[in-house]
Amino acid sequence: MAMVNNETHCFICNEEKITFPCEGCSKEFCSVHLTEHQQILNELNHIVINYNELKERISKQKQNPIDHSLIEQINQWQIDSIEKIKQKAHEYKEILIESSQTCITDTEMKFNSLNEQMKQIHQENELNEINLEYLRNQLLKMRQQLNKSSKVFIQENSQSFINDVSFILLKPKFNKWKQNAITVAGGNGRGEKTNQLKYPHGIFIDENKNIFIADCANHRIVEWKYNANEGQIIAGGNGPGNQMNQLNQPTDVIVEQKNHSIIIADARNRRVIQWLNQTQQILIDNIDCFGLAIDKKGFLYVSDIVKNEVRRWKMGEYNNEGIVVPGGNENGSQLNQLNSPGLIFVDEDQSVYVTDNRNHRVMKWRKDATEGRIVAGEKGRGRDLNQLFYPEGVIVDDLGQIYVADGVNNRVIRCYEGKEEGEIVVGGNGSGSQPNQLTNPSSLSFDDEGNLYVADFLNYRIEKFEIIL
């Protein structure tokens, strides 16, 4: 600012006062507004300084873009993340090693115990077929235990800036069942009484654990209430025939949950018939039906043992020929063929599992596939764990494990898609009527607790194998 001037008008207030000139803008200000004007000039000086600093910084970063504060943060993030990954990797390597060692130790203990049993059997000269079968099964179980590997997957927490990596160790869930079954229906010899069955085939378990049984040679459907001592005839039971109130060798039954109607494969009458409150309706006629299934999307599946195919209908729309899903390429053993398809199961992806009875295998046909895949019985007819002998029923659990009623082998076997050998879960102790034996099992089902039900065809009973929790 310059020296004080005589009274002139202030540029801000326009009053005649003693003013002071600003050398920068050549304007006159009174003493009060001169101070304000100086403060504004000071702020402007700061802006100019900041501008120049920023200009210089931009120039430097343009010449060397790596020299950036965020680069330093990223470098630190990289160092920290690598260290975390190293720590996690080391920690879970130790867990995996410990888990593997535990499995080996456990198997070794079982092996030593089995060795002692073998010595005792040899010393007491009790080597027979039963003992041989027992020893063979024990060795098989130990080999399977060593072959089972734990599964590891990576789970990331995407909420944090640096993803926190964690490992979760999962062991496959291999359910086991008590080997001595409880007879929950029949078991009173072959007969027509309400506490008897005659060649029970397909079974269905509802949410209340009531059992619906296709009592084949009695030409009826029987409902066996939970813990009941005898069944109740709910369809047929009027002798073999083709009248609407008659059935002729029904082979399978399912209950439609929405209206609690009963859908029956009335095999010898070549029809699929529905019973609802004692009112009958033929859904599909002129079909050599055997197995039935309903999927979650409301489609009905029927296996045809003469045409060697499985067809699908939309529920309520039976005025057409349906759509061929598995088979339909004449009798044969190619991957696009079936030979006397039996009972069926449909999963949530609408993949169809069917027991290919005379090919001694179970086939899986994915939706819209042109051929199937062998998921059980890879090596054809026989008694080995990669073989089946006239399989009858099939079901699949939530983990994709496949359970097969291996008819002539008198056992239920569990198989896995992509794995050649299965494992015996119940039965496999020869043909007989003891609680740990089956004779030509024909159908399988689970209740909501995971208990396994088996239609024991030639023992005229339904067996319940309780799950071991």
Side-chain angles (χ1 to χ4, degrees):
M1 296 290 178
M3 296 297 293
V4 62
N5 293 335
N6 292 329
E7 291 186 355
T8 57
H9 289 84
C10 175
F11 179 77
I12 300 297
C13 62
N14 201 29
E15 294 182 3
E16 190 175 350
K17 296 180 179 180
I18 298 174
T19 60
F20 303 87
C22 174
E23 295 179 355
C25 62
S26 301
K27 294 181 175 65
E28 299 287 337
F29 299 91
C30 66
S31 60
V32 174
H33 291 111
L34 179 63
T35 302
E36 294 179 358
H37 187 62
Q38 288 175 332
Q39 291 175 350
I40 293 172
L41 290 176
N42 289 335
E43 290 180 3
L44 180 59
N45 289 334
H46 284 301
I47 291 174
V48 172
I49 293 171
N50 289 335
Y51 169 80
N52 290 331
E53 289 179 351
L54 182 59
K55 182 179 179 181
E56 183 180 359
R57 184 176 176 183
I58 291 172
S59 178
K60 287 182 179 180
Q61 289 191 4
K62 187 175 180 181
Q63 295 175 4
N64 187 12
I66 299 179
D67 185 15
H68 194 287
S69 60
L70 281 179
I71 296 294
E72 295 180 2
Q73 293 183 41
I74 293 172
N75 288 336
Q76 189 60 47
W77 170 84
Q78 180 182 10
I79 294 170
D80 294 343
S81 296
I82 291 173
E83 185 61 30
K84 284 184 178 181
I85 292 172
K86 287 181 178 179
Q87 291 175 359
K88 290 289 185 181
H90 177 74
E91 179 181 350
Y92 286 99
K93 282 179 183 177
E94 293 295 322
I95 292 175
L96 287 173
I97 291 171
E98 182 181 354
S99 175
S100 176
Q101 189 60 46
T102 300
C103 177
I104 293 172
T105 302
D106 181 61
T107 305
E108 186 178 25
M109 292 176 61
K110 292 179 180 178
F111 182 81
N112 291 336
S113 175
L114 184 64
N115 184 42
E116 293 300 321
Q117 294 178 51
M118 292 175 63
K119 289 180 180 179
Q120 184 176 354
I121 291 172
H122 183 72
Q123 291 174 357
E124 296 177 0
N125 197 24
E126 292 185 355
L127 193 62
N128 52 46
E129 291 185 0
I130 296 175
N131 288 332
L132 283 173
E133 183 68 17
Y134 169 77
L135 295 174
R136 186 182 298 111
N137 287 336
Q138 291 301 310
L139 286 171
L140 175 63
K141 289 177 181 178
M142 282 185 276
R143 184 168 67 248
Q144 290 174 340
Q145 184 173 351
L146 284 174
N147 288 337
K148 292 174 184 176
S149 61
S150 300
K151 295 182 179 179
V152 177
F153 69 89
I154 296 177
Q155 177 176 302
E156 295 184 359
N157 178 8
S158 59
Q159 300 300 315
S160 58
F161 177 63
I162 299 176
N163 288 343
D164 183 19
V165 179
S166 62
F167 290 77
I168 297 178
L169 184 65
L170 288 181
K171 293 184 178 180
K173 182 180 179 182
F174 299 103
N175 287 337
K176 294 183 179 181
W177 292 266
K178 294 180 180 178
Q179 294 303 294
N180 287 335
I182 301 171
T183 300
V184 291
N188 297 299
R190 183 178 67 178
E192 301 176 358
K193 297 179 181 179
T194 53
N195 69 341
Q196 293 178 308
L197 298 170
K198 189 187 292 185
Y199 305 117
H201 207 271
I203 57 175
F204 183 95
I205 314 296
D206 70 9
E207 64 273 14
N208 298 317
K209 297 185 179 64
N210 301 318
I211 310 169
F212 296 80
I213 308 165
D215 192 9
C216 185
N218 280 327
H219 315 288
R220 66 189 184 185
I221 305 298
V222 179
E223 179 183 5
W224 214 287
K225 297 287 188 181
Y226 180 61
N227 284 337
N229 293 321
E230 61 181 5
Q232 176 185 354
I233 301 172
I234 57 173
N238 300 304
N242 61 5
Q243 300 301 309
M244 292 299 288
N245 68 340
Q246 292 179 306
L247 300 172
N248 195 343
Q249 294 188 11
T251 52
D252 204 5
V253 57
I254 53 178
V255 178
E256 191 180 1
Q257 301 289 351
K258 290 183 179 179
N259 58 15
H260 297 285
S261 68
I262 303 163
I263 300 176
I264 305 163
D266 191 9
R268 289 295 294 273
N269 282 328
R270 304 185 65 247
R271 65 189 183 185
V272 177
I273 189 169
Q274 180 184 52
W275 284 55
L276 177 60
N277 298 325
Q278 294 303 312
T279 300
Q280 302 86 32
Q281 176 188 3
I282 296 175
L283 303 181
I284 306 167
D285 207 356
N286 298 318
I287 181 171
D288 291 287
C289 52
F290 195 89
L292 303 172
I294 296 179
D295 69 18
K296 297 293 180 64
K297 296 183 180 179
F299 288 90
L300 175 66
Y301 299 73
V302 185
S303 63
D304 188 318
I305 61 173
V306 174
K307 292 183 177 179
N308 298 294
E309 65 186 18
V310 178
R311 286 183 179 263
R312 182 182 73 189
W313 283 263
K314 179 70 176 177
M315 293 289 287
E317 300 177 5
Y318 303 112
N319 56 350
N320 55 64
E321 294 183 354
I323 299 173
V324 176
V325 270
N329 298 299
E330 299 183 348
N331 175 2
S333 60
Q334 301 299 314
L335 293 179
N336 67 342
Q337 294 178 308
L338 300 170
N339 190 350
S340 191
L343 298 182
I344 53 181
F345 179 89
V346 183
D347 67 16
E348 292 185 352
D349 298 324
Q350 293 184 301
S351 294
V352 180
Y353 298 78
V354 54
T355 52
D356 193 7
N357 185 267
R358 292 184 182 177
N359 281 326
H360 311 285
R361 65 189 185 183
V362 175
M363 301 294 292
K364 176 183 179 181
W365 287 60
R366 298 185 184 276
K367 184 182 178 183
D368 300 326
T370 57
E371 63 180 29
R373 178 178 182 181
I374 302 172
V375 292
E378 181 75 32
K379 297 300 181 180
R381 187 176 76 175
R383 301 184 182 277
D384 292 338
L385 291 175
N386 56 5
Q387 295 178 307
L388 301 172
F389 204 155
Y390 291 114
E392 295 285 346
V394 59
I395 53 175
V396 182
D397 67 14
D398 294 337
L399 299 177
Q401 299 173 132
I402 305 156
Y403 298 79
V404 186
D406 190 8
V408 177
N409 283 329
N410 306 303
R411 64 190 183 184
V412 176
I413 194 166
R414 175 166 55 193
C415 303
Y416 313 89
E417 185 175 356
K419 184 176 179 181
E420 185 175 295
E421 287 193 349
E423 60 180 326
I424 299 170
V425 291
V426 296
N429 300 306
S431 174
S433 59
Q434 297 301 311
N436 68 338
Q437 291 180 308
L438 300 168
T439 303
N440 207 282
S442 58
S443 183
L444 306 173
S445 188
F446 288 120
D447 64 21
D448 56 4
E449 294 179 354
N451 300 308
L452 175 62
Y453 295 75
V454 183
D456 196 5
F457 188 72
L458 292 182
N459 281 324
Y460 319 109
R461 65 188 183 184
I462 308 299
E463 297 288 84
K464 174 183 176 182
F465 293 88
E466 294 181 316
I467 191 169
I468 300 175
L469 300 176

